[in-house]
Amino acid sequence: MLIAIVYDSGWGHTARQAQSVAEGVRRVADAEARLIPVAEGAIPWEVLEASDAIVFGSPTYNGAPSARFKQFCEDSTKPAWSEMKWRDKVAAGFTNSGAQNGDKLHSLISMALFAAQHGMLWVGLDLMPGNDSSRGSVHDLNRLGSWLGAMAQSNGDQGPDDTPIKSDLDTAAYLGQRAAETVRRLQAV
């Protein structure tokens, strides 16, 4: 099973999230994760067509996915959308911003809508929100309380070696594992 992780990362924080998604994918037997950074050359459209799932990731800038990620979406029209080559593939998404909220939900909605336009099957998180009670903490999975995809927060004055924090990276890994397990269940039908 091949899971592609297509992402953009302006400062390296979202790349760390992408790597965590890949770690989660690899927790599932016979699952291979392929990282595809949109800023590093030509997109391997044939790999995406051969993938069983595609997990999308982008930083949230000004309440939306990055321009490079949006360019990838537009560029997919001819090689993928026009013949619905991604129809019935599993899709999921993740995003990161400097603010706790940062309007990250809008980025995930944009990704889910993009996947829907390709006929893909969106998989969100099945985690209750963390850090939502007096007994909760920032160390909880899904500490930012998202169901549509994995959210992370990175302090603007810290580099990718320090942030996002472990619970955000663990949430991204959980999403990668969930996407791979969903593919496995669909293949068994």
Side-chain angles (χ1 to χ4, degrees):
M1 158 184 11
L2 177 60
I3 313 293
I5 303 158
V6 178
Y7 70 96
D8 185 35
S9 185
W11 302 97
H13 302 96
T14 311
R16 285 198 61 209
Q17 243 186 320
Q19 292 160 1
S20 292
V21 170
E23 289 172 20
V25 166
R26 292 181 192 117
R27 292 177 188 163
V28 177
D30 301 318
E32 175 188 348
R34 172 87 183 264
L35 291 163
I36 301 174
V38 298
E40 294 183 13
I43 300 297
W45 299 108
E46 69 287 350
V47 171
L48 296 178
E49 185 177 347
S51 296
D52 299 292
I54 305 172
V55 181
F56 303 108
S58 173
T60 294
Y61 295 146
N62 302 309
S66 70
R68 287 188 299 223
F69 183 81
K70 288 189 267 188
Q71 187 64 57
F72 158 78
C73 293
E74 289 182 25
D75 291 347
S76 74
T77 300
K78 185 172 182 176
W81 178 80
S82 61
E83 295 180 33
M84 296 301 281
K85 292 181 178 179
W86 299 348
R87 176 185 282 128
D88 295 334
K89 291 183 187 299
V90 168
F94 60 94
T95 189
N96 177 70
S97 72
Q100 290 291 315
N101 180 309
D103 296 320
K104 289 185 270 287
L105 179 59
H106 183 260
S107 291
L108 291 174
I109 290 170
S110 295
M111 292 175 201
L113 181 56
F114 171 70
Q117 290 174 339
H118 279 272
M120 302 176 83
L121 308 171
W122 189 263
V123 173
L125 288 175
D126 62 346
L127 295 171
M128 296 300 290
N131 196 27
D132 70 338
S133 72
S134 61
R135 294 179 312 280
S137 81
V138 297
H139 305 292
D140 295 341
L141 285 180
N142 197 22
R143 72 176 178 114
L144 297 173
S146 175
W147 281 274
L148 197 55
M151 291 183 180
Q153 183 266 329
S154 295
N155 294 327
D157 62 348
Q158 291 181 295
D161 290 340
D162 299 316
T163 188
I165 64 174
K166 183 178 183 320
S167 60
D168 289 349
L169 297 175
D170 289 347
T171 301
Y174 183 91
L175 179 67
Q177 181 177 342
R178 180 164 159 74
E181 288 172 345
T182 300
V183 169
R184 175 68 29 90
R185 281 194 304 276
L186 290 171
Q187 288 177 339
V189 173

